[in-house]
Amino acid sequence: MTDTLTPVLSDNWDHDRAWTLESYERAGGYSALRKAVRRQPAEIVELVKDSGLRGRGGAGFPTGMKWGFVPQDTESPEGGKPKYLVVNADESEPGTCKDIPLMLASPHTLVEGTIISSYAIRANHAFIYVRGEVLHVVRRMQRAVEEAYLAGYLGKNILGSGYDLDVVVHVGAGAYICGEETALLDSLEGRRGQPRLRPPFPAVAGLYACPTVINNVESIASVPCIVDNGPDWFGSMGTEKSKGMTLYSLSGHVTRPGQYEAPLGITLRELLDLAGGVREGRMLKFWTPGGSSTPLLTAEHLDIPLDYEGVAEAGSMLGTKALQIFDDSTCVVRAVLRWTEFYKHESCGKCTPCREGTWWLVQVLERLERGQGSEEDLDTLLDLCDNILGRSFCALGDGATSPITSSIQYFRDEYLAHLEQGGCPFDAEAASLFATAGAMA
Amino acid sequence: MSELTQETLNELKEIAGRYPDARSGLLPMLHLVQSVQGYVTPEGIEACAEVLDITAAEVAGVATFYTMYKRRPVGDYHVGVCTNTLCAIMGGDLIFERLKEHLEVGNDETTEDGRLTLEHVECNAACDYAPVMMVNWEFMDNMTPESAVELVDRLRSGQDVRSTRGARICTWREAERVLAGYPDDRADEGPAAGPASLEGLRIARERGWRAPEPEEEAR
């Protein structure tokens, strides 16, 4: 039986000057890299496959399997091309706030993971695509990469292994869609960030039409501990199909919001207990398991295991494990309207169902939140969602439908209450953190 | 607005040279243009197009896609208020309203003295510190309408302001230069993590919880 919380990725975040190479090495950092370069790249791929590590950026695809798709036969047309590793550090999914603190506190964990992962897929060039709106994270990543070069962990003939790797910290410029892996590739090629049609998949034709692996920050950061401690150790945490530890991010109406690193499969009830519950005198109303693109859940889902299977069974998705908690002071229609405005703003415009659909969703939701419109508008919303879901290149439009369909499923009466009362029945200020502190605007 | 000097043109080429394909440098190049000229100028667009040997229309198409690129001059301090759902509900809406009133500007507008540009921003990945503001893309955590007003007043009067989890606030143009890939050597400022980032770790330490010990043979 493992402990309730199992800090691995966050274990050094409270160390003195944790972001420096010196501090990271003192805590055992870069020992995994030394082990990795003494083994064959294919062995590292197998190791990560055996560990059961699944992508921590939302989709949960097995990381080792993704690496295995990269053609390595140098005689074949694809296998003969250069390979690239791209780290998706464009953390932007509403509610998601785990990669940013990881890079801020321990950028070397990500750098070490990047080097080992690049070695595994035989890439000599890797890019860390950081969203632009986090200046200090960019500073820390730039510094960590610089330190790694000086220490001989990057550049030519790394640790005498004959392996060469260059890493570029690439900074985005503000576009949620660039967190989608193929949009990220277009953006990294200096274009508008618009998703590509698949196939071909990036593993075969990605950056510059070459074989490319794109992994989330937390996935890559999990690689060193797997190499260091072995796949069995990793698998001793978590559940049968969802192995390992992960960062759960609690935010919103919770007493002690923050990062809680635990084995996959912990429940929200357990996490809320640790975080001091929802605000004093309030009840849990609804929550997202993994960002705003994952269907809302309610208090009846407090005991579902927060792993890939458990959350899917409850009709949602584990996503990024961004647990946004809303208590009973919150108007669900207001919350959903705001998310929908976000998707409308962030739709890249490439596919009609998403571009036009999100626009119409906002029109209808605005009307409902004002207490205008009619009950048929709920059917219109569901109909629109039906026409968006699964009809675009990427999942942005799908994500936009999640809060709407799930909120109508669980809170239909609240939508109707807006119509009956001719307006929002909630006091928006009561939901704010400082409502009681006399700090009204 | 200063002219693009030969030095800047050289730096634009240098950025393009960091990549296997020069065009990959376009996003950081546009950040550099903003750091020199205060926004993405027509001159800057032409310069990027020339360095990359693509059309100005292609560069403009990229510049207009991303929200961090501005087509009008930005103040010394770009003040962002997160009004995505969670921050909005936790108080971001109230903060944004108060600041608009206090600064007498609307969204994406700059104060008359040219010091501050106010904008509501989308989720900035700091939800455990809601409501969140950003100044020149540095975190200002756990804000209230009062602390927000105090913050902008300090910025306007030229006093030192520190990010709650980052460095001393530099100017927007200086920040853009770092984003273009020219470090300012200030990575060591500020803490490793804020209190919320350490909450789970604190509890684990308190209760003696840790990950399982690895077996010897694996090591």
Side-chain angles (χ1 to χ4, degrees), chain A residues 334-408:
Chain A
R334 177 185 175 208
V336 171
L337 167 63
R338 299 303 283 268
W339 276 319
T340 310
E341 285 173 335
F342 166 75
Y343 289 108
K344 174 196 157 203
H345 181 254
E346 299 297 331
S347 173
C348 79
K350 187 164 185 164
C351 311
T352 308
C354 172
R355 182 187 65 241
E356 304 295 321
T358 51
W359 191 87
W360 282 108
L361 290 173
V362 168
Q363 304 299 309
V364 179
L365 278 165
E366 265 177 351
R367 197 155 72 202
L368 286 167
E369 168 67 354
R370 284 198 306 265
Q372 296 159 357
S374 66
E375 198 175 341
E376 284 84 72
D377 282 339
L378 296 183
D379 297 327
T380 306
L381 281 177
L382 293 174
D383 192 38
L384 278 166
C385 288
D386 196 39
N387 278 306
I388 294 171
L389 189 69
R391 293 182 203 272
S392 296
F393 275 29
C394 84
L396 187 144
D398 299 351
T401 68
S402 290
I404 296 173
T405 46
S406 57
S407 64
I408 294 176

Side-chain angles (χ1 to χ4, degrees), chain A residues 287-360:
Chain A
W287 53 291
T288 67
S292 58
S293 303
T294 58
L296 300 177
L297 296 173
T298 67
E300 66 181 271
H301 304 104
L302 272 166
D303 295 307
I304 62 163
L306 294 174
D307 59 16
Y308 298 101
E309 291 72 32
V311 183
E313 215 167 288
S316 188
M317 287 175 283
L318 183 64
T320 55
K321 306 144 289 126
L323 306 157
Q324 306 177 86
I325 312 294
F326 298 93
D327 69 24
D328 54 1
S329 66
T330 314
C331 170
V332 75
V333 182
R334 177 185 175 208
V336 171
L337 167 63
R338 299 303 283 268
W339 276 319
T340 310
E341 285 173 335
F342 166 75
Y343 289 108
K344 174 196 157 203
H345 181 254
E346 299 297 331
S347 173
C348 79
K350 187 164 185 164
C351 311
T352 308
C354 172
R355 182 187 65 241
E356 304 295 321
T358 51
W359 191 87
W360 282 108

Side-chain angles (χ1 to χ4, degrees), chain A residues 68-223:
Chain A
F69 292 153
V70 174
Q72 295 292 358
D73 175 9
T74 48
E75 301 296 306
S76 73
E78 288 85 18
K81 290 181 181 175
K83 285 119 195 134
Y84 295 104
L85 179 78
V86 179
V87 180
N88 185 345
D90 192 51
E91 183 167 62
S92 312
E93 168 75 10
T96 308
C97 49
K98 63 189 178 70
D99 298 337
I100 293 298
L102 189 152
M103 291 186 284
L104 196 61
S106 189
H108 280 287
T109 311
L110 181 62
V111 173
E112 186 179 12
T114 300
I115 305 169
I116 298 171
S117 307
S118 300
Y119 177 75
I121 64 162
R122 300 171 196 262
N124 298 111
H125 224 125
F127 299 90
I128 300 175
Y129 185 115
V130 189
R131 67 180 297 184
E133 304 100 320
V134 285
L135 177 60
H136 211 52
V137 171
V138 171
R139 286 197 185 102
R140 293 253 164 102
M141 286 310 309
Q142 287 171 340
R143 171 69 66 82
V145 166
E146 191 189 328
E147 284 184 312
Y149 268 106
L150 291 172
Y153 298 140
L154 282 175
K156 299 277 176 213
N157 191 21
I158 293 167
L159 296 171
S161 64
Y163 172 63
D164 306 335
L165 178 67
D166 282 309
V167 170
V168 174
V169 177
H170 181 89
V171 176
Y176 166 66
I177 188 61
C178 292
E180 196 281 332
E181 62 177 19
T182 61
L184 188 152
L185 291 178
D186 261 36
S187 179
L188 182 51
E189 289 181 2
R191 300 168 194 280
R192 296 165 76 95
Q194 294 193 314
R196 301 174 179 176
L197 191 62
R198 280 154 292 198
F201 289 92
V204 177
L207 187 66
Y208 313 132
C210 294
T212 303
V213 165
I214 305 139
N215 282 138
N216 167 259
V217 167
E218 191 189 344
S219 313
I220 293 290
S222 299
V223 170

Side-chain angles (χ1 to χ4, degrees), chain B residues 181-211:
Chain B
Y182 290 96
D184 59 4
D185 204 27
R186 292 170 57 202
D188 286 338
E189 291 184 34
S197 309
L198 298 174
E199 196 57 52
L201 188 60
R202 187 187 62 76
I203 294 171
R205 299 259 191 270
E206 222 172 70
R207 306 196 184 181
W209 287 341
R210 55 174 71 91

Side-chain angles (χ1 to χ4, degrees), chain A residues 3 11 19 133 135-136 139-140 143 170 172-173 187-188 191-192 208 233 259 334 338 433 440, chain B residues 19 23-24 31 61 66-68 90 93 98 123-124 128 137-138 184-185 187-189 205 210 212:
Chain A
D3 289 338
D11 194 45
W19 64 89
E133 304 100 320
L135 177 60
H136 211 52
R139 286 197 185 102
R140 293 253 164 102
R143 171 69 66 82
H170 181 89
S187 179
L188 182 51
R191 300 168 194 280
R192 296 165 76 95
Y208 313 132
W233 167 84
Q259 305 302 316
R334 177 185 175 208
R338 299 303 283 268
L433 270 190
M440 302 300 175
Chain B
Y19 297 88
R23 182 161 176 174
S24 285
H31 281 304
Y66 299 92
T67 52
M68 288 178 80
M90 303 289 280
D93 277 353
R98 175 74 81 90
C123 186
N124 225 98
D128 43 351
W137 308 117
E138 294 265 20
D184 59 4
D185 204 27
D188 286 338
E189 291 184 34
R205 299 259 191 270
R210 55 174 71 91

Side-chain angles (χ1 to χ4, degrees), chain B residues 77-116:
Chain B
Y77 301 102
H78 177 270
V79 177
V81 181
C82 178
T83 57
N84 199 294
T85 302
L86 189 121
C87 273
I89 284 171
M90 303 289 280
D93 277 353
L94 298 174
I95 292 171
F96 190 55
E97 286 310 311
R98 175 74 81 90
L99 285 183
K100 281 197 286 194
E101 204 176 285
H102 183 73
L103 297 171
E104 297 178 329
V105 292
N107 181 44
D108 204 14
E109 288 177 8
T110 301
T111 53
E112 255 175 41
D113 58 10
R115 297 284 277 167
L116 263 65

